[in-house]
Every structure is written in C-alpha cells, then in structure tokens.
Amino acid sequence: MPQQNEKFLLQQWMKLWQDIDALYTSFLKRWRLSPHAYLILERLHRGPTRSAEPTELAVLLHVTRQLVTFILNDLEERGLILRRESARDRRRRSIALSKKGRSLAKEVCDEMDALELKTLHALSEQERTELLERSQRYCDMLRSSLNAQKGQDG
C-alpha cells in the first residue's frame, strides 16, 4: 500500500475512534458522567457482587488507581457511591452504590442499552454479525501485535 494511502487509512481510523468516543461522552453528559465513571457505575450496578475495591476498578478500566480515586471522590460527593470497610481486610475499602447511585445507574444503563440496541438493530442481522466478528478479529490482531512488540521490547 503506498505510504499516502496508509497515512489516510490511519487518519480515518483515528477519526472514527475519536468520533465514537465523542458520541459516548456527549451521551453521558446528561448525567455528568465521563465514560470511565459510567463504566464504574455499570460494574457496580451489574457486577456479580454489586461492590468492588478501587484496585479492581482500576484493572477493569485499565487506568491508574489514582484516577479511579479521583472519579470515586466525585461520585461520592454527588452521593452516588458509598465507601465501606472491606469485610475481608479492614485496611481496604469496598465501593458500592448508594440508593441514589442505584437509581442513576439503572437509568443510565437502561438508556445506554436502548441506544446501543436501537443502533445495532438499524443494521441487518448479517451486518451485526460481520461488525462483531470483524471488530473481534481486529481486537485479537491488535492484541497479538502488542504482545509481539512486548516480546521484542522485553
């Protein structure tokens, strides 16, 4: 592929990535949530235990523990979460949704689900299948490339 085409391809890919991120960010503004804050609420709302430690949330989001603490501070100030002593280790904190947080998490998760399903159902079944398969293939290939790069760097 000529270098000019590669540059165009990368520009288009980056623009698509940024556009999708901007759409989700714009959608979540109604609730004053960032995408990371949404993912925390979604995990606490739908997760198997309905609570989590900050370290677990940092791993889930692929961000630093400090960023999670910053987000949790905001959610706590808004009355959406509760920090409790962990039942397993008194030095640790467990994060759970407050009553207000449960209500907001249900609302935003339900609306996000409806938006995504409406969008996906605008595609044919074949298009949805292809989108998922190709997206998964790209993810797998990117993971493989990154793992190979780690092997060369390490």
Side-chain angles (χ1 to χ4, degrees):
M1 178 185 294
Q3 192 165 353
Q4 197 67 7
N5 287 345
E6 288 180 349
K7 184 176 181 180
F8 179 75
L9 175 65
L10 291 173
Q11 288 171 340
Q12 291 300 106
W13 184 249
M14 183 56 69
K15 182 175 180 343
L16 178 62
W17 187 14
Q18 291 169 337
D19 287 350
I20 291 171
D21 182 65
L23 289 167
Y24 280 109
T25 299
S26 176
F27 176 76
L28 293 167
K29 277 186 181 177
R30 177 168 55 174
W31 296 279
R32 295 183 315 144
L33 295 172
S34 68
H36 284 128
Y38 167 75
L39 291 172
I40 288 172
L41 292 181
E42 194 272 341
R43 162 56 184 84
L44 296 173
H45 176 62
R46 293 183 173 153
T49 61
R50 307 281 181 167
S51 67
E53 291 184 5
T55 302
E56 176 190 341
L57 297 171
V59 170
L60 171 74
L61 298 175
H62 306 283
V63 298
T64 65
R65 173 82 164 64
Q66 291 81 2
L67 179 57
V68 167
T69 298
F70 178 80
I71 295 167
L72 292 176
N73 287 344
D74 177 63
L75 295 174
E76 185 176 39
E77 286 173 16
R78 294 174 57 192
L80 301 175
I81 63 159
L82 304 169
R83 286 181 163 125
R84 297 186 177 135
E85 198 174 85
S86 173
R88 293 181 295 171
D89 183 343
R90 293 173 44 177
R91 295 169 296 174
R92 299 176 121 167
R93 295 281 172 223
S94 180
I95 310 301
L97 293 171
S98 65
K99 183 177 180 179
K100 180 179 176 182
R102 286 191 302 274
S103 175
L104 183 109
K106 180 179 180 351
E107 178 185 339
V108 70
C109 288
D110 288 351
E111 291 209 27
M112 180 69 81
D113 289 351
L115 172 69
E116 290 180 327
L117 285 171
K118 178 182 177 183
T119 305
L120 286 168
H121 284 298
L123 301 170
S124 70
E125 186 173 344
Q126 180 180 346
E127 288 172 322
R128 288 191 302 268
T129 299
E130 289 173 0
L131 174 65
L132 293 173
E133 287 174 353
R134 289 180 180 161
S135 296
Q136 185 62 58
R137 183 169 180 238
Y138 179 80
C139 183
D140 293 343
M141 292 170 69
L142 182 59
R143 182 179 296 110
S144 178
S145 294
L146 289 170
N147 287 339
Q149 186 178 21
K150 276 187 202 173
Q152 292 173 357
D153 294 343

